[in-house]
Amino acid sequence: MKAFEVVTEPIDPQAYADLVLRPEAGAVTLFTGHVREWTKGVRTLYLAYEAYVPMAEKKLAQIGREIEEKWPGAQVAIAHRIGELQISDIAVVIAVSSPHRKAAYEANEYAIERIKEIVPIWKKEIWEDGEEWIGDQKKKPEGGNQ
Amino acid sequence: MITLHYFAGLRELTGTSQEQADLAGKTVEDLMEWAADKYPGIENASARVAINEEYALPADVLEDGDTAAFIPPVSGG
């Protein structure tokens, strides 16, 4: 396994927590994002995720570097699953370790916000009566070196 | 030649995930115009373009052998 990866198999969150755990770390935050059944009153049957895998892994690693700059001493591992995912499956896991808890909490939230901005991964919601690629959940960043 | 990638809704719009095109020397802006001509509607998809797996600017120039990807608004997480 890699610290920043796109995977097709079910994610074991503990593996990523273990990857960032080290003697200097007094805190590890482990976020798991799951497939939600109901969104704004519409029932999702399952999700299909697609990625531009090599670029997505580069962008995940970039988020890791951004975090290490913003929160010195923090260490990050992120995995995102693609393919067909069922309700409650883990779509994404973010593990952050840091000497103290505040940085681990803050950096973990920063990571998921950045994933939704810059990482080329797309989600299609499949409902009982249709399906749609989801986009623009956050503001669209300007072009250029993000 | 330039290798082009289309993802998600743009893959469905174009009916292809990958193709080659003779666009070396053209800018990202030129590429968008070329694509809009070939695949009407793609210009309304709010897509960004990545060259060699990095987001590009409209004035960036494609070089022979580059890979360009149309990146519709992302929805990971």
Side-chain angles (χ1 to χ4, degrees):
Chain A
M1 64 182 286
K2 296 180 287 188
F4 302 97
E5 61 182 355
V6 173
V7 300
T8 54
E9 299 297 315
I11 290 173
D12 170 20
Q14 189 60 44
Y16 297 90
D18 291 346
L19 208 57
V20 297
L21 186 59
R22 63 222 142 93
E24 300 84 353
V28 174
T29 52
L30 186 62
F31 170 82
T32 53
H34 298 256
V35 177
R36 180 178 56 235
E37 182 170 21
W38 292 91
T39 298
K40 293 176 183 162
V42 178
R43 185 181 185 187
T44 296
L45 297 182
Y46 64 94
L47 295 182
Y49 281 98
E50 176 177 327
Y52 183 14
V53 174
M55 182 172 170
E57 292 188 336
K58 276 189 191 175
K59 289 290 154 188
L60 292 175
Q62 176 188 322
I63 292 169
R65 288 194 303 276
E66 289 175 5
I67 285 172
E68 285 164 22
E69 276 173 31
K70 288 170 96 78
W71 291 276
Q75 199 173 312
V76 190
I78 307 173
H80 202 298
R81 187 177 168 195
I82 57 172
E84 281 189 11
L85 274 71
Q86 307 302 316
I87 306 302
S88 297
D89 278 355
I90 297 173
V92 60
V93 60
I94 303 166
V96 180
S97 67
S98 62
H100 301 283
R101 69 179 178 278
K102 193 170 195 296
Y105 273 120
E106 289 177 356
N108 202 303
E109 182 166 30
Y110 175 85
I112 190 68
E113 298 295 331
R114 289 295 277 161
I115 287 170
K116 289 172 181 291
E117 288 173 349
I118 66 167
V119 180
I121 297 176
W122 301 273
K123 169 171 70 181
K124 181 186 250 184
E125 290 181 356
I126 293 90
W127 316 303
E128 283 159 336
D129 58 350
E131 57 180 42
E132 186 176 284
W133 286 104
I134 307 300
D136 250 343
Q137 292 184 311
K138 282 186 63 84
K139 67 179 171 52
K140 178 171 164 283
E142 298 304 310
N145 232 358
Q146 296 156 24
Chain B
M1 293 299 276
I2 306 297
T3 302
L4 301 172
H5 289 287
Y6 304 93
F7 294 99
L10 297 185
R11 178 170 45 73
E12 294 176 357
L13 174 80
T14 62
T16 186
S17 59
Q18 191 178 322
E19 67 180 331
Q20 304 269 321
D22 186 15
L23 291 163
K26 304 286 189 186
T27 65
V28 166
E29 201 169 5
D30 296 333
L31 168 65
M32 285 300 290
E33 283 177 19
W34 175 88
D37 209 40
K38 190 169 182 187
Y39 306 111
I42 198 170
E43 71 276 19
N44 299 320
S46 302
R48 283 179 278 171
V49 170
I51 300 176
N52 300 331
E53 301 164 9
E54 188 54 74
Y55 290 112
L57 294 167
D60 288 349
V61 176
L62 295 161
E63 292 176 25
D64 192 37
D66 279 352
T67 296
F70 290 85
I71 311 283
V74 303
S75 51

